[in-house]
Amino acid sequence: MSTPPATALPWATADPYAAALRAGHGPLFLRRADGSLLPLEVERWCARADAVDRSVLDRCEETVLDVGCGPGRLVAELAARGRAVLGIDVSEAAVEHTVRLGGQALRRSVFEPLPGEGRWGTALLMDGNVGIGGDPVALLDRLAGLLRPGGLLIAETVPVDVDERARVQVVGLGGADGTDALFPWARLGTRALLRYARGWEQTGQWTAGGRCFVSLRSHSRSTRSSAEPPKRTAVIRSQRARNTSAGSPVADR
């Protein structure tokens, strides 16, 4: 099992986060350096994919990479549909939960080497994961390198007009039991995300169930007339990864 990079370690080793995922409920928060709290929707993350989730997944093309997959509800739903999908998360508890649901997952940061780089059909940034790393431009650049030319990014944004950078830590009830280390995070509304998405083509913007989404397409060096058919993949038994073929980036046994 790989170790998350130093910038991801505070989240990966946050005991309140791991405990909440294993229990299936919060309360859980991101606490800013000024002491203010942002609630995290642990119960929704640990439940099965809901109608809003499923409507988003209907838009996915080809192979799917769920960045910051958490406890794996989206990975499990796509796998149940017979789609080739991989979740990545820096939290060991999140990866374990995803695998228990029947999905494939690796304990990786999006900024670490990943299987299938440059060949993924769709990348997902759901549940606030546009905030990963606290640098939207760096995150979007990295995703452009992971997707195939013309690949699709579906991102969930904050349902208010916000563009915030902060250093945060994961804490439980009352703001207690947080890890001492702070890590960078971002909160972006749709307008802010689109400002940073230079080099991407906006292909959709919508709201559902009080949640907001944007779809972006990476600039393509060539055009393809059709998406490759979905492929069923097996549950991984370890977290060592390789590319099994030029068209199907999946985790190795």
Side-chain angles (χ1 to χ4, degrees), residues 156-185:
E156 183 172 357
T157 57
V158 178
V160 292
D161 188 10
V162 62
D163 184 354
E164 176 189 1
R165 312 301 155 72
R167 296 188 67 80
V168 300
Q169 59 185 165
V170 183
V171 299
L173 182 62
D177 301 320
T179 177
D180 290 336
L182 297 168
F183 57 93
W185 198 252

Side-chain angles (χ1 to χ4, degrees), residues 1-245:
M1 182 181 299
S2 62
T3 301
T7 54
L9 280 173
W11 181 284
T13 59
D15 289 339
Y17 181 63
L21 292 193
R22 291 181 176 123
H25 61 81
L28 196 68
F29 306 89
L30 290 181
R31 180 170 63 192
R32 300 181 181 93
D34 64 6
S36 58
L37 299 176
L38 295 169
L40 300 176
E41 298 182 76
V42 179
E43 289 81 1
R44 182 170 63 80
W45 299 350
C46 289
R48 293 287 180 171
D50 62 20
V52 174
D53 294 328
R54 293 192 298 271
S55 70
V56 171
L57 300 183
D58 288 343
R59 298 171 181 253
C60 291
E61 301 172 355
E62 304 178 39
T63 55
V64 182
L65 180 68
D66 186 1
V67 177
C69 66
R73 74 187 192 283
L74 305 179
V75 176
E77 172 66 23
L78 284 168
R81 298 182 182 192
R83 301 296 299 273
V85 56
L86 176 69
I88 59 169
D89 204 288
V90 296
S91 165
E92 183 175 2
V95 169
E96 290 174 349
H97 198 286
T98 301
V99 172
R100 283 198 302 273
L101 290 181
Q104 290 198 47
L106 294 174
R107 190 185 183 197
R108 299 283 173 84
S109 162
V110 67
F111 296 107
E112 288 184 284
L114 293 170
E117 297 205 9
R119 299 202 307 276
W120 292 97
T122 303
L124 295 174
L125 280 178
M126 301 280 279
D127 303 328
N129 285 327
V130 292
I132 289 173
D135 185 340
V137 173
L139 181 59
L140 288 169
D141 285 348
R142 174 58 174 151
L143 291 170
L146 291 171
L147 290 167
R148 66 164 178 80
L152 184 68
L153 168 64
I154 301 177
E156 183 172 357
T157 57
V158 178
V160 292
D161 188 10
V162 62
D163 184 354
E164 176 189 1
R165 312 301 155 72
R167 296 188 67 80
V168 300
Q169 59 185 165
V170 183
V171 299
L173 182 62
D177 301 320
T179 177
D180 290 336
L182 297 168
F183 57 93
W185 198 252
R187 295 177 70 235
L188 301 179
T190 296
R191 288 174 59 184
L193 177 62
L194 293 177
R195 282 198 299 272
Y196 296 118
R198 299 190 181 110
W200 295 80
E201 175 191 358
Q202 181 185 347
T203 58
Q205 180 179 330
W206 70 99
T207 60
R211 297 162 63 189
C212 298
F213 304 93
V214 175
S215 61
L216 303 167
R217 196 170 294 281
S218 63
H219 278 196
S220 177
R221 297 185 296 272
S222 62
T223 58
R224 303 187 185 190
S225 60
S226 62
E228 71 179 67
K231 304 178 182 68
R232 185 175 296 277
T233 54
V235 176
I236 61 169
R237 297 180 184 273
S238 70
Q239 276 131 21
R240 181 169 56 91
R242 69 176 175 88
N243 300 339
T244 59
S245 71

